[in-house]
Amino acid sequence: MSPSAVILEAKSRLARARSVTVLTGAGISADSGIPTFRGADGLWRNFRAEDLATPEAFARDPRLVWEWYNWRRELIATKQPNAAHRALVELEGRHDRFLLITQNVDGLHRAAGSNKLLEIHGNIWKVRCTICKQVAENREVPIALPPHCRACHGLVRPHIVWFGEALEEESLDRSMGAVASCDVMLIIGTSGVVNPAASFAGIAKAAGAFVIEINLDDQPQSAMVDLMIGGRAAETVPLLL
Ligand code: APR
């Protein structure tokens, strides 16, 4: 099928859908200037996300982990949503039954105006106290290290789901429900290597959804999707409206 035929098919499927579920990953924010995790510019001081985004790394060296997050906060603070984020806001407005599930913690979907949104890995602008568990918004760039809870003065951590940690129960339930009940699922800019998001394409397919993927190149889940649209999210997602 020619690229334009693929876009037309995707556009037609979305226009006819009674319910749409979207999953996004770092690739949708790449066009806003935020490096992806597993792309060429994904490392910081030669550390991978897997080395730092873990409870063990934080227990071992909270300052190092916070230095990494300060680097990411500083980088993200100056970035804006792109045409792909905005197109998903428009898509949300066209479908009563719609849910956008994002693995991204950069807050760009919310900044673009998405409301029916689940940030299943948390949000980089939120911190959680390791003692009293209170969650607070903190937009200091950089955050003064080591950061302490305003309520109990305990050490705070990023309110982000780290490797080895479970998603919040409600997030998981709502995500699984939306993935298993949609007519069309859009998967945009994710390598599909981190669970549970990596399982969503298979669950949607098994439940009878038409699954469309947008990515620069083929990923593990590409073999099972119905339509694979190769290209940059900021250029291709707006074409689906
Ligand atoms: N447009 C579309 N896709 C893109 C673009 C772009 N401009 N640039 C990169 N991509 C694709 C890459 O081909 C890759 O498949 O985006 C994907 C980015 O993959 P990752 O860097 O692995 O990011 P992600 O899939 O979101 O990672 C999942 O892993 O590190 C953890 O919790 C973290 O949420 C993250 C999770």
Side-chain angles (χ1 to χ4, degrees), residues 24-28 30-31 36-39 49-50 103-104 121 161 163 188-194 214-217 219 231-234:
T24 62
I28 198 169
D31 294 323
T36 61
F37 289 99
R38 294 168 185 85
E50 286 82 350
Q103 301 172 92
N104 300 341
H121 289 170
V161 179
F163 290 98
I188 306 170
T190 182
S191 57
V193 294
V194 172
I214 293 176
N215 200 302
L216 284 184
D217 38 41
Q219 306 300 309
R232 305 193 70 83

Side-chain angles (χ1 to χ4, degrees), residues 21-240:
T21 298
V22 184
L23 170 68
T24 62
I28 198 169
S29 294
D31 294 323
S32 294
I34 299 175
T36 61
F37 289 99
R38 294 168 185 85
D41 49 0
L43 297 182
W44 172 77
R45 292 188 201 167
N46 288 327
F47 288 106
R48 298 172 310 139
E50 286 82 350
D51 305 323
L52 295 169
T54 72
E56 296 75 18
F58 189 75
R60 189 171 51 247
D61 190 344
R63 176 173 286 277
L64 176 69
V65 174
W66 265 117
E67 283 171 1
W68 177 51
Y69 277 100
N70 261 339
W71 174 75
R72 292 184 66 204
R73 288 161 67 101
E74 217 150 336
L75 183 117
I76 290 168
T78 60
K79 303 301 183 287
Q80 300 299 324
N82 62 57
H85 296 99
R86 291 191 295 275
L88 292 181
V89 177
E90 170 65 28
L91 193 63
E92 173 182 324
R94 295 184 184 185
H95 294 274
D96 291 340
R97 291 176 57 199
F98 178 95
L99 184 66
L100 168 52
I101 302 164
T102 189
Q103 301 172 92
N104 300 341
V105 299
D106 57 34
L108 291 189
H109 283 302
R110 201 169 297 286
S114 287
N115 292 304
K116 294 179 178 176
L117 169 67
L118 267 186
E119 294 174 317
I120 58 171
H121 289 170
N123 185 301
I124 200 163
W125 300 116
K126 288 183 183 168
V127 296
R128 184 171 79 240
C129 179
T130 57
I131 307 300
C132 72
K133 310 300 178 202
Q134 188 180 70
V135 175
E137 174 143 333
N138 180 310
R139 288 194 174 261
E140 292 167 41
V141 175
I143 196 167
L145 298 184
H148 288 284
C149 171
R150 293 190 185 119
C152 76
H153 212 65
L155 176 65
V156 298
R157 56 164 279 180
H159 185 50
I160 286 179
V161 179
W162 282 338
F163 290 98
E165 293 184 326
L167 268 61
E168 287 178 2
E169 197 68 34
E170 197 222 341
S171 279
L172 192 53
D173 292 348
R174 282 187 62 200
S175 300
M176 289 299 188
V179 167
S181 64
C182 61
D183 297 330
V184 172
M185 177 151 198
L186 264 184
I187 299 177
I188 306 170
T190 182
S191 57
V193 294
V194 172
N195 275 310
S199 64
F200 288 173
I203 293 169
K205 272 303 281 173
F210 188 83
V211 182
I212 302 165
E213 182 184 21
I214 293 176
N215 200 302
L216 284 184
D217 38 41
D218 278 7
Q219 306 300 309
Q221 74 262 356
S222 303
M224 76 169 75
V225 304
D226 296 291
L227 275 185
M228 171 56 189
I229 304 175
R232 305 193 70 83
E235 291 156 11
T236 46
V237 180
L239 300 178
L240 303 185

